[in-house]
Amino acid sequence: KKFCRFVTLPLEMSVNEVAAELTSHRSTVLQWTKGTDKPYLVRIANTVLQASIRPGWKMVALRLESGGNFQGPWIQIPTKIQSYNDLSAVIAQLTPRDETYLRASKFDISRQQVDGMKEDLFAYLLGILAGDASKAGGRQKRFDSSSIDLHLTLKQPSNERLGDFVCMCANSLNLVMDRKMDKQPTGSSRLGRQPSAAYRWTSQRSPLIAWMFNVGLGLEWGECTTLDCLKMDWLFGMPSSLRLRFVQGLADSDGGMKPYEVVITSVPNAEFVTQLLQSLGMTTAHVIKE
């Protein structure tokens, strides 16, 4: 048999010799020879060869296990969002998890309604990502992969439902996201006048979340929404419903209510948010620089 890891080995080599050459365990090589397992790169190549990939798109695994022993389900994503059809094609590949519908019932949203609003839930989650949600992860050896880490103060009891709704949005995209142990005050927040613990929710690491950060928000690894401008001109070509859900997610994450106005705090993106609000018919939207 032939084994490829940047080398081609002679057919007459024994299992022990192949294991020594590839610095792999003998049992691993034995599984390869029996066909009960495949090398990581062979599994990748086998998946790609069976797919018809659109020009300008690439294949990623929605979930990855440590060591690459499990990959999948596989989806195709564009390297740039150029139209509504691009976004719709990505979301159509994502099957909601069972817990999506359990969480949706708490908000009086039926199963049929969830299935019909996946694009809206995606846009809302993207708005949350553009706000205060942390994006852990980045460029890995084989895949770019990231997770969502959401902290919301315990001072506002309604934040518990908000976090559960964000989980529902992630679950609708076939992403695992659940509540974790509350986070105690740390760093500068611990030194505040009234330090407060925070509700906390985290998601799995997934190349899909990395794609939402890089292509959806238009940010590079090392950039953040607090300091760097979003590159999301593609959003203005989307239906108004998607723009509205994005704004709602951003407002729920970075917004505040006053008796006479709603304020979305987004220092590097104030002009972008104002333009987005105006595209939805909100003629009073304006930038305040402080």
Side-chain angles (χ1 to χ4, degrees):
K1 290 181 179 292
K2 287 186 178 180
F3 299 92
C4 296
R5 190 181 291 176
F6 307 111
V7 293
T8 301
L9 303 179
L11 294 174
E12 65 275 7
M13 289 182 71
S14 68
V15 170
N16 287 337
E17 290 172 330
V18 172
E21 181 71 24
L22 299 181
T23 63
S24 297
H25 196 273
R26 181 183 185 281
S27 61
T28 300
V29 176
L30 194 59
Q31 287 179 319
W32 294 346
T33 62
K34 293 180 178 180
T36 56
D37 192 15
K38 297 176 183 177
Y40 177 84
L41 295 178
V42 172
R43 291 202 302 272
I44 295 287
N46 187 52
T47 300
V48 172
L49 289 173
Q50 294 182 45
S52 176
I53 304 177
R54 297 168 57 175
W57 289 53
K58 61 182 180 180
M59 290 191 66
V60 297
L62 196 60
R63 282 187 290 281
L64 301 169
E65 286 187 2
S66 179
N69 294 320
F70 172 81
Q71 308 146 5
W74 289 86
I75 62 172
Q76 293 190 34
I77 54 176
T79 54
K80 181 179 180 180
I81 300 174
Q82 297 181 334
S83 68
Y84 166 71
N85 289 336
D86 288 344
L87 188 63
S88 180
V90 173
I91 298 172
Q93 299 173 74
L94 305 171
T95 303
R97 300 178 62 82
D98 290 340
E99 54 264 40
T100 310
Y101 305 109
L102 293 175
R103 286 193 162 106
S105 65
K106 299 177 183 178
F107 300 97
D108 294 325
I109 302 174
S110 68
R111 187 184 189 96
Q112 185 177 7
Q113 287 174 315
V114 169
D115 292 339
M117 61 191 294
K118 284 168 53 182
E119 294 177 2
D120 289 340
L121 298 178
F122 172 90
Y124 181 88
L125 184 62
L126 196 63
I128 291 289
L129 286 177
D132 276 343
S134 299
K135 284 69 70 176
R139 183 150 291 157
Q140 310 296 316
K141 181 179 179 180
R142 288 168 170 158
F143 288 94
D144 286 357
S145 186
S146 188
S147 63
I148 303 169
D149 195 3
L150 180 65
H151 303 165
L152 298 172
T153 177
L154 265 69
K155 292 179 182 178
Q156 299 293 337
S158 61
N159 279 343
E160 187 170 11
R161 280 174 59 81
L162 174 57
D164 206 33
F165 186 83
V166 172
C167 286
M168 186 196 78
C169 294
N171 297 160
S172 73
L173 305 177
N174 203 350
L175 295 170
V176 177
M177 186 169 182
D178 292 299
R179 184 175 173 181
K180 305 299 181 183
M181 184 180 297
D182 294 344
K183 185 177 184 295
Q184 298 305 310
T186 58
S188 59
S189 63
R190 182 171 54 86
L191 304 176
R193 291 182 180 180
Q194 294 180 315
S196 171
Y199 300 107
R200 185 184 184 190
W201 298 264
T202 61
S203 77
Q204 66 179 90
R205 283 203 176 192
S206 173
L208 176 63
I209 299 173
W211 177 79
M212 292 172 69
F213 179 78
N214 293 142
V215 177
L217 301 182
L219 296 176
E220 301 292 336
W221 297 121
E223 293 184 328
C224 66
T225 55
T226 304
L227 301 174
D228 300 290
C229 293
L230 300 171
K231 303 173 187 68
M232 299 185 66
D233 287 347
W234 62 267
L235 190 58
F236 293 100
M238 297 295 113
S240 59
S241 61
L242 266 68
R243 283 178 278 137
L244 176 62
R245 303 310 176 198
F246 176 84
V247 168
Q248 287 180 320
L250 183 59
D252 281 347
S253 184
D254 271 346
M257 296 288 293
K258 294 184 178 181
Y260 54 90
E261 65 182 355
V262 175
V263 178
I264 299 176
T265 305
S266 184
V267 176
N269 298 294
E271 287 80 6
F272 166 75
V273 175
T274 298
Q275 186 180 356
L276 193 57
L277 292 171
Q278 291 174 349
S279 78
L280 293 167
M282 299 183 66
T283 57
T284 59
H286 60 283
V287 175
I288 302 175
K289 293 186 178 180
E290 299 179 351

